Amino acid sequence: MSLTYTRNEKWHGNEGGPWMDGVEVTFIPEPAQWEAQFRAGNIHEGVGSPANVPIVAAEMEASQIVKFPPPGYGGTVSLSWLPDMPFHDERVRRAMSMSMDRNAVVDIYNNPADFEAVGIELTGYWYNPVSPAYGQFWLDPRGSDFGAAAAYMQHNVEEATKLLDAAGYNSGNQLEFDVIEHPRRAPIENRGEVLQAMWAEAGMKVNVTPADYTSEWQEYLSGGRGYVEWKTGRPAVLLKPNSADSDVLFWLTRFFSQAGSSVGGDEFPELDTMIFDARAIADFDARVAAVHDIQRYIVDQMVAVPYDAETESTEIYNVGVHGPERWVPWMGLENYGAASSTLAKHYWLDAALHG
Protein backbone atom coordinates (compact mmCIF):
# COMPACT_ATOMS: atom_id res chain seq x y z
CA MET A 1 0.00 0.00 0.00
CA SER A 2 1.31 3.45 -0.83
CA LEU A 3 0.34 7.07 -1.39
CA THR A 4 1.61 8.83 -4.51
CA TYR A 5 1.91 12.62 -4.60
CA THR A 6 2.55 14.22 -8.00
CA ARG A 7 4.03 17.59 -8.89
CA ASN A 8 1.56 20.49 -8.72
CA GLU A 9 2.65 22.96 -11.40
CA LYS A 10 0.40 25.66 -9.90
CA TRP A 11 1.93 25.48 -6.42
CA HIS A 12 2.45 29.03 -5.16
CA GLY A 13 5.60 28.41 -3.09
CA ASN A 14 8.14 29.30 -5.77
CA GLU A 15 8.18 30.21 -9.45
CA GLY A 16 7.96 27.18 -11.68
CA GLY A 17 6.19 25.00 -9.14
CA PRO A 18 7.73 22.63 -6.58
CA TRP A 19 11.22 21.25 -7.03
CA MET A 20 10.23 17.61 -6.62
CA ASP A 21 8.64 15.57 -9.39
CA GLY A 22 6.67 13.68 -6.77
CA VAL A 23 6.71 11.69 -3.56
CA GLU A 24 5.64 8.12 -2.97
CA VAL A 25 4.96 7.10 0.63
CA THR A 26 4.93 3.34 1.13
CA PHE A 27 3.30 1.58 4.08
CA ILE A 28 5.06 -1.66 5.05
CA PRO A 29 4.02 -2.95 8.49
CA GLU A 30 6.24 -6.06 8.45
CA PRO A 31 9.98 -5.46 9.08
CA ALA A 32 10.99 -8.51 7.00
CA GLN A 33 9.09 -7.18 3.97
CA TRP A 34 10.57 -3.71 4.52
CA GLU A 35 14.06 -5.18 4.37
CA ALA A 36 13.23 -7.24 1.29
CA GLN A 37 11.96 -4.14 -0.54
CA PHE A 38 15.10 -2.20 0.42
CA ARG A 39 17.36 -4.99 -0.84
CA ALA A 40 15.38 -5.09 -4.10
CA GLY A 41 15.81 -1.33 -4.60
CA ASN A 42 12.09 -0.56 -4.42
CA ILE A 43 12.52 1.65 -1.35
CA HIS A 44 15.65 3.58 -0.49
CA GLU A 45 15.72 4.02 3.28
CA GLY A 46 15.46 1.70 6.25
CA VAL A 47 15.22 -2.04 6.75
CA GLY A 48 12.55 -2.19 9.46
CA SER A 49 14.72 -3.61 12.22
CA PRO A 50 17.59 -1.44 13.55
CA ALA A 51 19.48 -4.58 14.57
CA ASN A 52 19.63 -5.65 10.91
CA VAL A 53 21.19 -2.41 9.66
CA PRO A 54 24.84 -3.58 9.95
CA ILE A 55 23.93 -6.99 8.50
CA VAL A 56 22.36 -5.47 5.39
CA ALA A 57 25.20 -2.95 5.06
CA ALA A 58 27.75 -5.79 5.02
CA GLU A 59 25.82 -7.74 2.39
CA MET A 60 24.58 -4.93 0.13
CA GLU A 61 27.25 -2.92 -1.64
CA ALA A 62 24.85 -0.20 -2.77
CA SER A 63 24.05 0.87 0.80
CA GLN A 64 25.39 3.38 3.28
CA ILE A 65 24.91 3.73 7.02
CA VAL A 66 24.39 7.25 8.31
CA LYS A 67 24.42 8.32 11.93
CA PHE A 68 22.94 11.36 13.61
CA PRO A 69 22.51 12.63 17.17
CA PRO A 70 21.01 10.40 19.86
CA PRO A 71 17.23 10.54 20.36
CA GLY A 72 15.91 13.60 22.19
CA TYR A 73 13.66 11.77 24.61
CA GLY A 74 14.77 10.87 28.13
CA GLY A 75 13.04 7.89 29.70
CA THR A 76 12.58 7.64 33.44
CA VAL A 77 11.45 5.10 35.98
CA SER A 78 8.71 7.27 37.45
CA LEU A 79 7.77 6.41 41.01
CA SER A 80 4.68 6.17 43.19
CA TRP A 81 4.38 8.93 45.78
CA LEU A 82 1.39 7.54 47.64
CA PRO A 83 1.80 7.45 51.43
CA ASP A 84 3.91 4.60 52.80
CA MET A 85 5.53 3.88 49.43
CA PRO A 86 9.18 2.75 49.69
CA PHE A 87 10.23 5.31 47.07
CA HIS A 88 9.97 8.19 49.54
CA ASP A 89 13.34 6.98 50.86
CA GLU A 90 16.10 8.44 48.69
CA ARG A 91 18.30 5.45 49.52
CA VAL A 92 15.83 3.19 47.71
CA ARG A 93 15.74 5.48 44.68
CA ARG A 94 19.52 5.68 44.51
CA ALA A 95 19.85 1.91 44.92
CA MET A 96 17.51 1.40 41.96
CA SER A 97 19.73 3.61 39.82
CA MET A 98 23.00 2.06 40.97
CA SER A 99 21.68 -1.42 40.16
CA MET A 100 21.42 -0.43 36.48
CA ASP A 101 24.27 -1.27 34.14
CA ARG A 102 23.87 1.50 31.58
CA ASN A 103 26.78 0.31 29.44
CA ALA A 104 25.00 -3.03 29.15
CA VAL A 105 21.82 -1.18 28.12
CA VAL A 106 23.78 0.45 25.29
CA ASP A 107 25.07 -2.94 24.15
CA ILE A 108 21.64 -4.58 24.35
CA TYR A 109 19.70 -1.97 22.40
CA ASN A 110 22.29 -0.42 20.08
CA ASN A 111 24.74 -3.23 19.24
CA PRO A 112 27.77 -0.93 18.79
CA ALA A 113 30.12 -3.89 18.20
CA ASP A 114 28.08 -4.96 15.15
CA PHE A 115 28.32 -1.46 13.68
CA GLU A 116 32.04 -1.27 14.40
CA ALA A 117 32.48 -4.45 12.34
CA VAL A 118 31.21 -2.54 9.27
CA GLY A 119 33.27 0.59 9.97
CA ILE A 120 30.76 2.67 11.95
CA GLU A 121 31.96 3.77 15.39
CA LEU A 122 29.20 4.59 17.87
CA THR A 123 29.53 6.36 21.21
CA GLY A 124 27.47 5.36 24.23
CA TYR A 125 25.69 8.14 26.13
CA TRP A 126 23.99 8.08 29.52
CA TYR A 127 20.84 10.16 29.85
CA ASN A 128 20.55 11.84 33.21
CA PRO A 129 17.62 11.91 32.14
CA VAL A 130 18.30 14.94 29.89
CA SER A 131 19.32 13.76 26.42
CA PRO A 132 22.75 14.46 24.90
CA ALA A 133 20.81 15.62 21.83
CA TYR A 134 20.46 18.97 23.64
CA GLY A 135 24.14 19.68 23.05
CA GLN A 136 25.81 21.99 25.56
CA PHE A 137 22.77 21.82 27.84
CA TRP A 138 23.43 18.14 28.55
CA LEU A 139 25.82 17.38 31.42
CA ASP A 140 27.57 14.03 31.11
CA PRO A 141 26.96 12.11 34.36
CA ARG A 142 30.29 10.33 33.83
CA GLY A 143 32.24 13.59 33.67
CA SER A 144 34.14 15.27 36.48
CA ASP A 145 31.89 18.35 36.29
CA PHE A 146 28.81 16.46 37.42
CA GLY A 147 29.91 16.31 41.04
CA ALA A 148 29.24 13.83 43.83
CA ALA A 149 25.80 12.85 42.54
CA ALA A 150 27.46 11.11 39.58
CA ALA A 151 28.08 8.14 41.89
CA TYR A 152 24.35 7.37 41.83
CA MET A 153 24.51 6.75 38.08
CA GLN A 154 27.40 4.29 38.30
CA HIS A 155 26.74 0.55 38.21
CA ASN A 156 27.54 -0.55 41.76
CA VAL A 157 25.44 -3.49 42.95
CA GLU A 158 27.37 -3.82 46.21
CA GLU A 159 26.66 -0.23 47.22
CA ALA A 160 23.05 -0.53 46.04
CA THR A 161 22.59 -3.54 48.32
CA LYS A 162 24.03 -1.58 51.26
CA LEU A 163 21.65 1.31 50.60
CA LEU A 164 18.67 -1.05 50.52
CA ASP A 165 19.80 -2.71 53.74
CA ALA A 166 20.12 0.69 55.43
CA ALA A 167 16.57 1.45 54.27
CA GLY A 168 15.35 -1.80 55.86
CA TYR A 169 15.21 -4.05 52.79
CA ASN A 170 17.18 -7.29 52.75
CA SER A 171 16.69 -11.04 52.37
CA GLY A 172 14.28 -11.02 55.29
CA ASN A 173 12.29 -8.04 54.02
CA GLN A 174 12.64 -7.96 50.25
CA LEU A 175 11.74 -4.80 48.35
CA GLU A 176 8.97 -5.77 45.90
CA PHE A 177 7.30 -3.58 43.30
CA ASP A 178 5.65 -3.73 39.88
CA VAL A 179 7.04 -2.27 36.66
CA ILE A 180 4.46 -0.83 34.27
CA GLU A 181 5.72 -0.80 30.69
CA HIS A 182 4.46 1.39 27.86
CA PRO A 183 1.95 -0.94 26.13
CA ARG A 184 3.08 0.08 22.64
CA ARG A 185 6.81 -0.09 23.31
CA ALA A 186 6.97 -3.17 25.54
CA PRO A 187 6.68 -5.78 22.74
CA ILE A 188 9.56 -4.10 20.90
CA GLU A 189 11.94 -3.23 23.73
CA ASN A 190 11.22 -5.62 26.62
CA ARG A 191 12.91 -2.98 28.74
CA GLY A 192 10.98 -4.01 31.83
CA GLU A 193 12.53 -7.47 31.70
CA VAL A 194 16.02 -6.01 31.30
CA LEU A 195 15.61 -3.77 34.36
CA GLN A 196 13.94 -6.59 36.27
CA ALA A 197 17.08 -8.71 35.87
CA MET A 198 19.37 -5.85 36.92
CA TRP A 199 17.33 -4.98 40.01
CA ALA A 200 17.22 -8.65 41.00
CA GLU A 201 21.02 -8.62 41.34
CA ALA A 202 20.60 -6.18 44.24
CA GLY A 203 17.92 -8.34 45.87
CA MET A 204 14.77 -6.59 44.62
CA LYS A 205 11.72 -8.58 43.56
CA VAL A 206 10.24 -6.94 40.48
CA ASN A 207 7.05 -7.92 38.65
CA VAL A 208 6.64 -6.75 35.06
CA THR A 209 2.92 -6.08 34.66
CA PRO A 210 0.96 -5.39 31.45
CA ALA A 211 -1.18 -2.29 31.07
CA ASP A 212 -4.02 -1.37 28.76
CA TYR A 213 -3.05 1.87 27.01
CA THR A 214 -6.36 3.72 27.36
CA SER A 215 -7.84 2.55 30.63
CA GLU A 216 -4.67 1.94 32.67
CA TRP A 217 -1.55 3.54 31.19
CA GLN A 218 -3.15 6.92 30.52
CA GLU A 219 -4.92 7.02 33.87
CA TYR A 220 -1.80 6.14 35.80
CA LEU A 221 0.40 8.44 33.73
CA SER A 222 -1.68 11.51 32.93
CA GLY A 223 -4.09 11.57 35.82
CA GLY A 224 -1.86 10.18 38.49
CA ARG A 225 1.49 12.01 38.72
CA GLY A 226 2.45 9.24 41.14
CA TYR A 227 -0.65 9.42 43.33
CA VAL A 228 -2.86 6.71 41.77
CA GLU A 229 -2.91 3.21 43.23
CA TRP A 230 -1.90 0.49 40.77
CA LYS A 231 -4.33 -2.36 40.08
CA THR A 232 -2.29 -5.00 41.95
CA GLY A 233 -2.17 -2.97 45.15
CA ARG A 234 1.63 -3.28 45.19
CA PRO A 235 4.07 -0.38 44.91
CA ALA A 236 4.54 0.40 41.22
CA VAL A 237 6.89 2.29 38.93
CA LEU A 238 6.18 3.49 35.42
CA LEU A 239 8.63 3.26 32.49
CA LYS A 240 7.89 6.68 31.06
CA PRO A 241 9.42 7.55 27.64
CA ASN A 242 9.26 11.39 28.02
CA SER A 243 9.30 12.36 24.33
CA ALA A 244 11.55 15.11 22.98
CA ASP A 245 10.72 18.81 22.93
CA SER A 246 11.93 21.92 21.13
CA ASP A 247 13.89 23.28 24.10
CA VAL A 248 15.45 21.51 27.06
CA LEU A 249 13.71 23.77 29.58
CA PHE A 250 10.36 23.21 27.87
CA TRP A 251 11.11 19.48 28.17
CA LEU A 252 11.92 19.83 31.86
CA THR A 253 8.75 21.86 32.35
CA ARG A 254 6.63 19.20 30.64
CA PHE A 255 7.95 16.27 32.62
CA PHE A 256 9.52 17.55 35.85
CA SER A 257 7.51 20.58 36.93
CA GLN A 258 4.12 20.72 38.60
CA ALA A 259 2.94 22.66 35.55
CA GLY A 260 3.46 19.48 33.51
CA SER A 261 3.11 15.77 34.21
CA SER A 262 5.62 16.08 37.09
CA VAL A 263 7.27 12.69 37.48
CA GLY A 264 8.25 13.89 40.95
CA GLY A 265 4.66 14.60 41.94
CA ASP A 266 4.49 17.38 44.54
CA GLU A 267 7.53 16.09 46.40
CA PHE A 268 10.20 18.44 45.02
CA PRO A 269 8.90 22.05 44.99
CA GLU A 270 12.47 23.38 44.88
CA LEU A 271 12.87 21.71 41.47
CA ASP A 272 9.93 23.75 40.17
CA THR A 273 11.67 26.91 41.32
CA MET A 274 14.92 25.92 39.63
CA ILE A 275 13.19 25.18 36.31
CA PHE A 276 11.17 28.39 36.16
CA ASP A 277 14.08 30.53 37.33
CA ALA A 278 16.22 29.03 34.55
CA ARG A 279 13.57 29.80 31.94
CA ALA A 280 13.89 33.49 32.79
CA ILE A 281 17.65 33.55 32.08
CA ALA A 282 18.51 35.16 28.74
CA ASP A 283 22.31 34.85 28.86
CA PHE A 284 23.27 31.62 27.08
CA ASP A 285 26.13 30.54 29.33
CA ALA A 286 24.16 31.29 32.49
CA ARG A 287 21.19 29.37 31.09
CA VAL A 288 23.42 26.37 30.37
CA ALA A 289 24.84 26.51 33.90
CA ALA A 290 21.34 26.62 35.39
CA VAL A 291 20.24 23.58 33.37
CA HIS A 292 23.36 21.73 34.51
CA ASP A 293 22.45 22.47 38.13
CA ILE A 294 18.96 21.09 37.51
CA GLN A 295 20.45 17.85 36.20
CA ARG A 296 22.70 17.54 39.25
CA TYR A 297 19.68 18.05 41.50
CA ILE A 298 17.52 15.49 39.66
CA VAL A 299 20.24 12.84 39.96
CA ASP A 300 21.21 13.70 43.54
CA GLN A 301 17.60 13.47 44.72
CA MET A 302 16.82 10.77 42.12
CA VAL A 303 13.52 12.51 41.42
CA ALA A 304 12.96 9.81 38.80
CA VAL A 305 15.44 7.10 37.88
CA PRO A 306 16.93 7.66 34.38
CA TYR A 307 16.87 4.45 32.36
CA ASP A 308 17.88 5.52 28.85
CA ALA A 309 21.40 4.92 27.56
CA GLU A 310 21.88 5.26 23.82
CA THR A 311 24.36 5.71 21.01
CA GLU A 312 23.94 8.00 18.06
CA SER A 313 20.90 7.04 16.00
CA THR A 314 21.59 5.14 12.79
CA GLU A 315 19.81 4.41 9.54
CA ILE A 316 20.66 2.78 6.24
CA TYR A 317 20.16 4.39 2.83
CA ASN A 318 20.76 3.42 -0.77
CA VAL A 319 23.93 5.09 -2.07
CA GLY A 320 21.81 6.57 -4.85
CA VAL A 321 20.13 8.95 -2.39
CA HIS A 322 21.77 12.38 -2.49
CA GLY A 323 21.28 15.62 -0.61
CA PRO A 324 22.66 17.78 2.20
CA GLU A 325 23.28 14.67 4.35
CA ARG A 326 21.31 16.09 7.21
CA TRP A 327 19.30 12.95 7.54
CA VAL A 328 17.29 13.70 10.65
CA PRO A 329 16.93 17.11 12.31
CA TRP A 330 18.45 17.44 15.76
CA MET A 331 15.82 16.12 18.15
CA GLY A 332 16.30 19.14 20.38
CA LEU A 333 14.92 21.25 17.54
CA GLU A 334 12.06 19.16 16.25
CA ASN A 335 10.00 16.64 18.15
CA TYR A 336 9.28 14.01 15.54
CA GLY A 337 10.87 15.64 12.49
CA ALA A 338 12.64 13.53 9.90
CA ALA A 339 14.28 14.05 6.54
CA SER A 340 11.22 12.58 4.83
CA SER A 341 9.00 15.38 6.14
CA THR A 342 11.30 18.34 6.73
CA LEU A 343 14.11 18.11 4.21
CA ALA A 344 12.72 15.86 1.47
CA LYS A 345 12.67 18.64 -1.12
CA HIS A 346 16.46 18.91 -0.88
CA TYR A 347 17.10 15.24 -1.77
CA TRP A 348 17.17 13.44 -5.09
CA LEU A 349 17.74 9.95 -6.48
CA ASP A 350 20.19 8.72 -9.08
CA ALA A 351 18.53 8.13 -12.43
CA ALA A 352 19.04 4.38 -11.98
CA LEU A 353 16.67 4.44 -8.98
CA HIS A 354 13.81 6.17 -10.79
CA GLY A 355 10.92 3.76 -11.20
Side-chain angles (χ1 to χ4, degrees):
M1 178 180 175
S2 64
L3 295 176
T4 300
Y5 299 87
T6 57
R7 178 185 176 97
N8 178 7
E9 300 290 349
K10 297 181 180 180
W11 185 62
H12 66 279
N14 57 274
E15 186 177 353
W19 297 329
M20 294 184 291
D21 295 322
V23 175
E24 184 171 355
V25 180
T26 305
F27 299 92
I28 306 176
E30 294 297 328
Q33 182 62 20
W34 190 348
E35 180 177 326
Q37 292 297 320
F38 179 83
R39 287 177 179 270
N42 296 324
I43 60 174
H44 314 300
E45 176 265 331
V47 294
S49 171
N52 286 358
V53 166
I55 298 172
V56 175
E59 297 174 355
M60 185 175 170
E61 186 175 346
S63 65
Q64 59 179 332
I65 294 176
V66 296
K67 64 179 182 178
F68 35 89
Y73 49 66
T76 53
V77 180
S78 301
L79 309 164
S80 173
W81 302 111
L82 288 169
D84 301 322
M85 285 291 124
F87 313 113
H88 286 283
D89 192 324
E90 64 187 24
R91 294 170 296 188
V92 170
R93 305 194 299 268
R94 290 168 176 171
M96 291 172 66
S97 177
M98 297 175 78
S99 303
M100 295 182 187
D101 186 344
R102 291 174 172 85
N103 288 333
V105 170
V106 169
D107 291 338
I108 291 168
Y109 291 105
N110 297 103
N111 304 307
D114 292 345
F115 283 87
E116 186 176 352
V118 293
I120 303 296
E121 186 174 344
L122 299 178
T123 302
Y125 298 94
W126 294 2
Y127 291 48
N128 65 38
V130 169
S131 165
Y134 289 110
Q136 294 180 56
F137 288 97
W138 173 67
L139 186 62
D140 189 346
R142 293 171 294 183
S144 58
D145 292 340
F146 204 91
Y152 306 134
M153 295 284 288
Q154 295 292 327
H155 182 222
N156 190 335
V157 175
E158 181 180 357
E159 185 61 29
T161 304
K162 290 179 181 178
L163 286 170
L164 288 173
D165 187 60
Y169 298 101
N170 46 49
S171 58
N173 182 33
Q174 193 174 30
L175 175 63
E176 180 179 4
F177 57 90
D178 291 355
V179 171
I180 310 168
E181 289 190 285
H182 192 296
R184 297 175 181 174
R185 293 178 63 162
I188 302 171
E189 297 184 347
N190 296 316
R191 200 173 289 260
E193 285 79 2
V194 171
L195 295 178
Q196 179 187 46
M198 292 180 179
W199 284 326
E201 292 183 2
M204 302 177 223
K205 181 180 179 182
V206 178
N207 313 293
V208 180
T209 57
D212 176 77
Y213 184 77
T214 303
S215 63
E216 294 175 337
W217 172 268
Q218 288 290 358
E219 178 185 0
Y220 198 83
L221 170 65
S222 302
R225 298 193 313 122
Y227 298 105
V228 172
E229 184 174 356
W230 181 232
K231 61 184 178 182
T232 64
R234 291 188 291 263
V237 302
L238 187 75
L239 299 190
K240 194 166 179 290
N242 301 332
S243 57
D245 214 323
S246 58
D247 175 88
V248 65
L249 280 164
F250 289 167
W251 185 85
L252 287 164
T253 301
R254 282 179 64 198
F255 297 114
F256 283 85
S257 80
Q258 294 177 32
S261 58
S262 186
V263 298
D266 300 325
E267 309 300 313
F268 304 93
E270 57 272 28
L271 179 56
D272 257 43
T273 301
M274 294 176 73
I275 291 171
F276 284 96
D277 284 351
R279 288 181 58 169
I281 298 173
D283 179 79
F284 180 81
D285 291 337
R287 192 176 176 95
V288 167
V291 173
H292 287 181
D293 284 341
I294 291 170
Q295 292 166 70
R296 294 185 184 100
Y297 177 90
I298 289 173
V299 172
D300 180 66
Q301 296 298 308
M302 208 52 69
V303 175
V305 183
Y307 69 71
D308 271 325
E310 300 269 0
T311 64
E312 298 92 339
S313 299
T314 58
E315 190 52 281
I316 188 168
Y317 284 78
N318 191 293
V319 294
V321 177
H322 301 285
E325 297 189 3
R326 184 177 170 215
W327 303 101
V328 173
W330 177 47
M331 286 295 282
L333 292 176
E334 299 197 32
N335 199 346
Y336 298 108
S340 58
S341 60
T342 309
L343 297 166
K345 62 181 178 289
H346 299 291
Y347 284 79
W348 66 93
L349 302 177
D350 282 344
L353 295 179
H354 290 186

